[in-house]
Amino acid sequence: LTDTSLSRERVKFEDCQHSKVVGFESSDPNFSVRPDGSVYAEQETVNLSEPVQFMVTARGGHDPHIWETTVKLALAGHQPSVPVSQIGVEDMIARAWDSNPRVIKFPRKHQRSSSANGLRRQKRDWVIPPINVPENSRGPFPQMLVRIRSDQDLEKGIRYSITGAGADQPPIDVYNIDPVHGKMFVTRPLDREERASYHLRAHAVDMNGNKVESPIDLYIYVIDMNDNRPEFQNQVYNGSVAEGSKPGTLVMQVTANDSDDDTTANGMVRYRILSQTPHMPIPNMFTINSETGDIFTMAAGLDREKVSQYIIIVQATDMEGNLNFGLSNTATALISVTDINDNPPELTARTFSGEVPENRVNVVVANLTVIDRDQPHSPNWAAQYRIASGDPQGHFLIRTNPVNNDGMVTVVKPVDYEQNRAFMLTVIVSNKAPLASGIQSSLQSSAGVTISVQDVNESPVFPTNPKSIRFEEGVPAGTTLTVFAAQDPDLFIQQTVRYSKLSDPANWLRINRTNGQITTMAVLDRESMYVRNNIYEATFLAADNGSPPASGTGTLQIHLIDVNDNAPVLMPKEAQVCERANPRSKVNITASDADADPHVGPFVFELPSYPPSVRRNWTVSRISGDYAQLRLRIPYLDTGVYDVPIIVSDSGNPPLSNRSTIKVKVCPCDDNGDCTTTGAVAAAGLGTGAIIAILICIIILLVLVLVFVMWMKRREKERQAKPLLIDPEDDVRDNILKYDEEGGGEEDQDYDLSQLQQPESLEHIISKPVGVRRVDERPIIAESQYPVRPSLPHPGDIGDFINDGLRAADNDPTAPPYDSLLVFDYEGSGSTAGSVSSLNSSSSGDQDYDYLNDWGPRFKKLADLYSGGDDD
């Protein structure tokens, strides 16, 4: 390996002055670094079977500073058998720092000046390179990082300090500096995952605290170490893939995160599959993308019916998957193989058989068993049965048992032994879901089903059921109506049929037991309560002598034709009229007939000739075909109850008549034509005793009312006689006074208020001499009466008394103030007050005073004065 370049990458250092001459030194004598940064082996015996690590130092041609880095060498594609110890690398870097610590000087600024050699140009400041500190260092602490130095430390005493996050700001005291010698230390292990970099500022001052140098920026980067394992987002992942999937089908994705720096190998995660369970059909059915974590199928042959689930153990390793250097973690991927319809249903036999009694429905006569290896209770497994042939009339239907997928052959339409003794069915079974592509139906998906029909004793059947016949009502008993015979469906068995009556509501009919002849036992009546819509129904039973006996029922409907066999009747049975004939004194009567048309109206109403008083006192007139009116023929008829017979005849052929009596009450009436109470009683024909009893009840009722009224008045007097709960001298009602002027009280009531009152009209005042009387006089109308307080009132009357007095005062036009606009030019003789006649109210003319009308009677005068506008 002599003079062989061992790395495609070069060791590169950047000189702040971009010097072309950079010298490299290797700490391992077996390797050297050329000026272009290429690393070469110096000896042929160099063995790279294990990784090699050494330090490289760079020096500039005119720069006393040095820079260091670590170089790791390993054979490409070769996994070292023994991993490099992380602690050893840290120790190596620490020793390098201890043996040769960096010195950072404050830059000096040189000003342009004159000299013997001419002008000197100022140098540009150095760019301070960042300080790299490995995380998780084992110390010892404090551990020196760099030394800060000022060129003026030889001339004067310098004190050094650092500021920023990690020094005097949180996190505090991660770094400190020797104020005298300028040595900067880290005080504890660093964690890149907590903080990846620090920015500090170094200061230099003299002993008096004066700034000697401008602050310099220090950037400290925490070097990442592989101290975090990859962590899966889930410990168990669930995925699925359809059976029969092709190789390369995406199944699922697993993801792991590494807290280390993902720009370095420490945070670069790679995936691989550790194991697969079960190893069927091959151990490597799946593969994984090492970078993305996507899991794909690797081979064909997935079959849910053989393996329904695979358990995959996935490993995630950092350091780009290097098992010697990287840290690993595992997770479980559960891959379920989903079902497709790749197995057609197969009947367990080629033929099936069953039996069914004739005339039975909704019975299972055969059970078809089927096998389907697809997932149970899925559309791929659920069977559907179809009858391909053998049942043209649709007697059978095959339903699927949802529990076991069997086919249940069910009779849905009765079968007749006399017509078909057996059925040969062809049944085909399929799934609800179509078969997968490329899957053919099995030969066992069809079978034959033989259904034998069993003969049973069937019930006799009436050929026409119900049977309808027409007859006139009123036919005599013993009349033969019809023969209602039944037939026995059992053609291959000789049996005897016997008849009996099952239902005959009116008991009108009789049936012959042997031949089914129907005869009458009574007269048929269409108007009977047992007839509905002119039809009478009876039910008969026909029974054979089979084993066991069977019977059938038949209904006979007799349509009864109406004949005129019912006389009309009148309504109402009672009525009342006035004793004096008037247009409103009449009785409306109505005729009805139980027969049907044409044996009903129009009806004829007439009064009988006997007794003669009927036609003498009454008259009847027809209003329409069914209605008539009964009136008094004479002007006056004595009060009482009269039986008025009326003959009514229908329109039948021949017509039928009926004599009906109406009880008519004749009574005296009021102006409205209604019977009075006394007249109604008299007309009702009450006796003397009944009338006396009614009068006694009325008198008793009046006495009770009088007693109740007297009791209420006595209670009211007792309530008013009770004294007040307070002393009469303190009775507040004595202080409810009527004031006719502003102010005043109990001690100021002896004055003439007429001097302060203004009359409603000023005409009779204006004509009087000036100064004689005031202009505001009391209106010349009767004074309102205020409520008088009783001498010994009840305490509960105080509120009522006040409210009554308030209402009376509000509605009293004679109570002051008579007008809010008063004239005060005269206030009585001897007044010391000056004249206020100059006071007046003014209005702009635009003001609307109509709202004064809503303020009550006390403001009525004011409303009258101002509502007139300019005229007022």
Side-chain angles (χ1 to χ4, degrees):
L1 296 176
T2 304
D3 294 336
T4 301
S5 177
L6 300 182
S7 177
R8 299 175 185 174
E9 301 293 335
R10 297 182 179 182
V11 181
K12 297 180 180 179
F13 291 88
E14 293 185 358
D15 189 354
C16 296
Q17 292 182 339
H18 301 282
S19 174
K20 298 298 183 180
V21 180
V22 178
F24 298 99
E25 294 181 3
S26 173
S27 62
D28 191 336
N30 294 324
F31 302 95
S32 63
V33 182
R34 294 183 179 180
D36 63 350
S38 302
V39 179
Y40 287 84
E42 294 289 345
Q43 300 179 9
E44 296 183 356
T45 59
V46 173
N47 184 8
L48 292 180
S49 60
E50 296 182 359
V52 176
Q53 179 173 304
F54 55 91
M55 300 291 296
V56 176
T57 304
R59 289 184 174 86
H62 302 284
D63 190 4
H65 297 164
I66 60 175
W67 291 268
E68 296 177 346
T69 188
T70 302
V71 178
K72 297 179 183 179
L73 296 179
L75 290 179
H78 177 71
Q79 299 293 338
S81 59
V82 180
V84 177
S85 172
Q86 181 179 352
I87 299 177
V89 175
E90 296 176 359
D91 291 342
M92 187 180 298
I93 298 175
R95 287 196 299 271
W97 284 341
D98 292 341
S99 62
N100 195 5
R102 293 175 53 187
V103 177
I104 299 176
K105 293 184 178 181
F106 285 92
R108 299 291 297 169
K109 295 183 180 179
H110 301 278
Q111 305 294 333
R112 292 179 179 267
S113 61
S114 300
S115 64
N117 297 329
L119 295 175
R120 297 183 60 185
R121 189 180 65 180
Q122 175 183 348
K123 295 183 178 180
R124 291 183 297 174
D125 291 345
W126 290 92
V127 177
I128 306 301
I131 304 171
N132 296 322
V133 182
E135 65 172 336
N136 302 324
S137 175
R138 299 180 62 183
F141 296 100
Q143 187 176 20
M144 182 178 174
L145 299 180
V146 294
R147 180 182 176 188
I148 309 298
R149 181 174 174 271
S150 172
D151 291 341
Q152 302 184 38
D153 59 353
L154 299 177
E155 302 174 358
K156 60 179 72 174
I158 303 298
R159 292 294 180 265
Y160 303 96
S161 63
I162 56 175
T163 60
D168 59 344
Q169 300 177 14
I172 300 176
D173 294 335
V174 177
Y175 304 95
N176 58 29
I177 190 171
D178 185 346
V180 177
H181 300 92
K183 295 181 179 180
M184 181 177 170
F185 299 90
V186 59
T187 62
R188 54 177 178 262
L190 303 180
D191 188 353
R192 190 202 67 84
E193 286 70 41
E194 292 183 0
R195 192 181 183 100
S197 64
Y198 297 86
H199 179 202
L200 303 177
R201 305 199 77 185
H203 307 269
V205 298
D206 58 14
M207 302 300 294
N208 296 324
N210 299 319
K211 183 173 69 172
V212 177
E213 303 282 358
S214 298
I216 59 175
D217 292 320
L218 303 177
Y219 293 94
I220 302 174
Y221 294 107
V222 182
I223 301 175
D224 182 45
M225 295 295 174
N226 191 19
D227 58 343
N228 291 279
R229 294 180 180 273
E231 296 292 339
F232 283 94
Q233 294 181 355
N234 300 311
Q235 198 60 34
V236 177
Y237 290 84
N238 292 284
S240 62
V241 61
E243 61 176 332
S245 296
K246 297 179 180 180
T249 302
L250 178 63
V251 179
M252 60 188 301
Q253 183 185 36
V254 296
T255 304
N257 298 320
D258 197 315
S259 300
D260 292 325
D261 188 1
D262 57 0
T263 62
T264 65
N266 297 335
M268 296 182 181
V269 180
R270 298 294 182 266
Y271 304 92
R272 73 189 188 104
I273 295 178
L274 294 182
S275 65
Q276 167 193 310
T277 304
H279 297 173
M280 293 177 60
I282 61 174
N284 299 321
M285 289 295 297
F286 303 93
T287 184
I288 189 170
N289 187 309
S290 61
E291 294 184 0
T292 63
D294 293 332
I295 298 177
F296 299 89
T297 57
M298 187 176 181
L302 291 174
D303 191 349
R304 190 205 64 83
E305 288 72 36
K306 295 180 180 179
V307 179
S308 61
Q309 188 182 66
Y310 290 90
I311 301 176
I312 306 297
I313 304 300
V314 180
Q315 184 185 56
T317 307
D318 57 16
M319 297 299 292
E320 297 183 284
N322 191 317
L323 299 178
N324 293 322
F325 296 99
L327 302 177
S328 301
N329 212 337
T330 60
T332 302
L334 302 179
I335 302 177
S336 299
V337 181
T338 58
D339 183 48
I340 63 173
N341 193 10
D342 57 345
N343 294 282
E346 298 178 352
L347 293 166
T348 58
R350 298 295 299 171
T351 60
F352 297 88
S353 61
E355 294 182 347
V356 55
E358 64 175 336
N359 301 322
R360 296 282 300 278
V361 293
N362 295 326
V363 293
V364 178
V365 297
N367 195 61
L368 311 181
T369 56
V370 70
I371 296 176
D372 195 316
R373 291 185 295 274
D374 289 320
Q375 184 175 358
H377 306 289
S378 69
N380 300 328
W381 172 84
Q384 291 180 330
Y385 298 88
R386 179 173 60 88
I387 299 176
S389 62
D391 185 23
Q393 297 180 355
H395 291 282
F396 302 95
L397 178 66
I398 303 179
R399 298 186 175 96
T400 302
N401 189 326
V403 177
N404 54 21
N405 219 21
D406 289 349
M408 301 177 294
V409 182
T410 308
V411 181
V412 295
K413 186 177 180 181
V415 295
D416 190 356
Y417 175 81
E418 285 71 27
Q419 295 181 0
N420 294 294
R421 298 186 181 184
F423 292 86
M424 301 296 296
L425 308 179
T426 300
V427 177
I428 298 176
V429 62
S430 60
N431 291 124
K432 289 185 177 180
L435 291 175
S437 178
I439 305 300
Q440 301 295 328
S441 298
S442 173
L443 296 177
Q444 298 179 353
S445 296
S446 62
V449 182
T450 302
I451 307 296
S452 299
V453 181
Q454 298 175 346
D455 187 21
V456 297
N457 185 23
E458 299 178 78
S459 301
V461 178
F462 290 91
T464 304
N465 192 15
K467 183 177 182 179
S468 297
I469 60 175
R470 297 175 65 90
F471 266 89
E472 286 188 353
E473 65 173 332
V475 295
T479 303
T480 300
L481 300 181
T482 185
V483 176
F484 197 26
Q487 297 177 357
D488 193 344
D490 297 316
L491 303 179
F492 304 101
I493 304 176
Q494 297 296 328
Q495 298 179 137
T496 303
V497 179
R498 293 291 182 264
Y499 303 93
S500 61
K501 187 169 60 174
L502 187 63
S503 173
D504 183 13
N507 198 22
W508 289 343
L509 307 177
R510 179 188 298 111
I511 187 170
N512 189 290
R513 289 182 53 84
T514 58
N515 58 13
Q517 182 178 352
I518 306 295
T519 57
T520 61
M521 295 191 307
V523 176
L524 305 182
D525 186 6
R526 191 195 67 86
E527 290 75 31
S528 172
M529 60 180 296
Y530 301 105
V531 177
R532 298 290 184 269
N533 298 324
N534 301 330
I535 297 176
Y536 178 76
E537 287 189 356
T539 305
F540 299 92
L541 182 69
D544 60 20
N545 58 348
S547 180
S551 60
T553 59
T555 301
L556 179 64
Q557 294 181 342
I558 305 174
H559 185 87
L560 297 177
I561 302 172
D562 184 44
V563 296
N564 193 15
D565 57 347
N566 291 278
V569 295
L570 293 180
M571 293 294 292
K573 297 299 182 182
E574 295 182 357
Q576 65 180 15
V577 296
C578 297
E579 60 184 359
R580 299 186 181 278
N582 60 71
R584 288 176 293 183
S585 181
K586 60 186 177 180
V587 177
N588 294 324
I589 56 179
T590 303
S592 62
D593 197 324
D595 291 325
D597 191 67
H599 307 299
V600 289
F603 299 98
V604 177
F605 303 88
E606 58 183 347
L607 297 175
S609 58
Y610 183 83
S613 59
V614 175
R615 291 191 174 184
R616 183 175 61 251
N617 297 333
W618 305 92
T619 180
V620 63
S621 59
R622 189 176 71 177
I623 301 175
S624 62
D626 298 338
Y627 303 97
Q629 285 185 349
L630 179 65
R631 298 174 178 271
L632 284 175
R633 178 183 291 273
I634 59 178
Y636 174 81
L637 185 63
D638 294 336
T639 301
V641 178
Y642 298 86
D643 291 333
V644 181
I646 299 176
I647 300 174
V648 57
S649 303
D650 59 21
S651 298
N653 186 17
L656 293 181
S657 301
N658 182 30
R659 180 187 175 103
S660 299
T661 301
I662 300 178
K663 188 180 294 296
V664 180
K665 300 176 182 178
V666 179
C667 59
C669 298
D670 54 16
D671 296 338
N672 297 325
D674 299 326
C675 285
T676 59
T677 304
T678 305
V681 173
L686 297 178
T688 305
I691 296 175
I692 294 175
I694 293 174
L695 294 177
I696 292 175
C697 293
I698 294 174
I699 293 173
I700 293 175
L701 181 61
L702 294 176
V703 170
L704 292 176
V705 172
L706 181 61
V707 171
F708 178 76
V709 171
M710 294 177 63
W711 177 77
M712 288 297 294
K713 289 185 177 182
R714 180 178 181 182
R715 182 181 177 185
E716 183 69 19
K717 290 181 179 181
E718 292 177 353
R719 192 166 63 107
Q720 295 178 357
K722 293 181 180 179
L724 289 172
L725 297 178
I726 58 177
D727 193 75
E729 295 180 0
D730 298 329
D731 188 359
V732 295
R733 290 174 293 185
D734 291 339
N735 295 328
I736 299 176
L737 302 176
K738 175 182 175 182
Y739 296 101
D740 291 338
E741 49 88 21
E742 298 179 359
E746 292 85 346
E747 295 81 17
D748 188 14
Q749 297 182 9
D750 297 333
Y751 44 80
D752 184 11
L753 294 180
S754 61
Q755 300 297 324
L756 300 177
Q757 295 174 350
Q758 178 176 340
E760 185 176 1
S761 177
L762 300 178
E763 295 179 357
H764 64 287
I765 301 297
I766 295 175
S767 59
K768 295 181 180 181
V770 179
V772 175
R773 296 189 61 183
R774 286 182 52 84
V775 187
D776 48 345
E777 290 183 341
R778 178 192 297 270
I780 307 175
I781 57 177
E783 186 175 357
S784 300
Q785 297 296 325
Y786 285 82
V788 179
R789 179 174 58 89
S791 59
L792 294 175
H794 190 271
D797 294 339
I798 295 176
D800 296 338
F801 178 79
I802 295 175
N803 292 331
D804 294 340
L806 179 61
R807 283 192 297 269
D810 287 339
N811 294 279
D812 185 9
T814 64
Y818 308 115
D819 190 351
S820 58
L821 178 62
L822 301 179
V823 180
F824 295 97
D825 55 351
Y826 177 74
E827 296 183 356
S829 59
S831 174
T832 60
S835 174
V836 291
S837 59
S838 62
L839 296 180
N840 199 352
S841 61
S842 63
S843 174
S844 62
D846 297 332
Q847 181 69 31
D848 184 9
Y849 293 96
D850 292 338
Y851 62 90
L852 296 175
N853 294 320
D854 301 331
W855 286 12
R858 304 188 65 175
F859 293 89
K860 183 177 183 305
K861 180 63 68 176
L862 187 63
D864 294 337
L865 292 175
Y866 280 86
S867 61
D870 298 337
D871 296 339
D872 295 338

